[in-house]
Amino acid sequence: VTGYEVSGFDSSTAGEKTITVTYQGKTAAFKVTVKETEKPVVTLESITVSGPTKTEYEIGDELDLTGLVVTAHYSDGSEAAVEDYEVSGFDSSTAGEKTITVTYQDKTAAFTVNVKEAAPVVTLESITVTGPNKTEYEIGEKLDLTGLVVTAHYSDGNEKVLSAGDYEVSGFDSST
């Protein structure tokens, strides 16, 4: 037959629903079950890392993770930056390239940093002087430093001729 009416169907909530069919004043009913939509299980497939900003260290430095971004990639194609990751493998007690492992849940990724020997501290070891041209004075004359060359000698073996403003001269007295 045609021309019957159906009522009672509601798929907005899960559960058993009674459907009533009415035709020319007569009714009959049947039941249907509305189920929750099964959502696919989304799983973590991998992680990637970018950064950090600092990748060069000296012996004894602490690891600086500023700029490190850890991105989780999921089975549904989505991705998200995550923060509750663990970092291991940093050791600045010796020089060399270090592989740093980042672990998020059961996935890992890595990046490398370089630990180098600290630059040696260069110190001034001594100075030498040559000149000046004038070494004899009469009472009351002013000191003439023409021809004076002051050379600084450093702990790394380098030398530098100093400019007049870089050193002091003392001890000259022509009053007697």
Side-chain angles (χ1 to χ4, degrees):
V1 294
T2 59
Y4 57 85
E5 291 181 13
V6 178
S7 64
F9 182 70
D10 177 11
S11 66
S12 64
T13 58
E16 188 174 270
K17 311 292 178 167
T18 300
I19 310 301
T20 303
V21 179
T22 305
Y23 178 72
Q24 295 182 354
K26 303 293 181 197
T27 61
F30 62 93
K31 296 189 183 279
V32 296
T33 302
V34 176
K35 295 181 180 179
E36 291 283 340
T37 304
E38 289 188 27
K39 296 179 182 174
V41 176
V42 178
T43 58
L44 176 65
E45 290 191 335
S46 65
I47 63 170
T48 55
V49 295
S50 63
T53 306
K54 183 175 181 177
T55 58
E56 295 289 323
Y57 292 86
E58 289 184 357
I59 289 179
D61 283 352
E62 296 289 324
L63 182 62
D64 181 353
L65 297 177
T66 302
L68 178 66
V69 176
V70 179
T71 304
H73 303 273
Y74 297 97
S75 59
D76 65 354
S78 66
E79 58 184 47
V82 295
E83 294 185 7
D84 51 339
Y85 52 83
E86 293 181 9
V87 177
S88 61
F90 182 73
D91 175 11
S92 67
S93 65
T94 59
E97 186 173 272
K98 310 294 178 163
T99 299
I100 311 304
T101 302
V102 177
T103 304
Y104 176 71
Q105 295 180 8
D106 64 340
K107 305 300 181 199
T108 61
F111 63 92
T112 59
V113 297
N114 187 38
V115 177
K116 57 187 176 180
E117 296 282 345
V121 176
V122 177
T123 59
L124 176 65
E125 290 192 335
S126 64
I127 61 170
T128 55
V129 294
T130 56
N133 298 340
K134 182 174 174 99
T135 58
E136 291 187 20
Y137 291 86
E138 293 189 16
I139 292 176
E141 273 189 282
K142 292 190 177 219
L143 180 63
D144 180 357
L145 296 177
T146 303
L148 178 67
V149 177
V150 180
T151 304
H153 303 274
Y154 296 96
S155 60
D156 64 355
N158 286 324
E159 296 179 352
K160 177 183 174 188
V161 174
L162 301 177
S163 301
D166 292 339
Y167 57 85
E168 292 180 18
V169 176
S170 62
F172 180 76
D173 180 5
S174 68
S175 63
T176 58

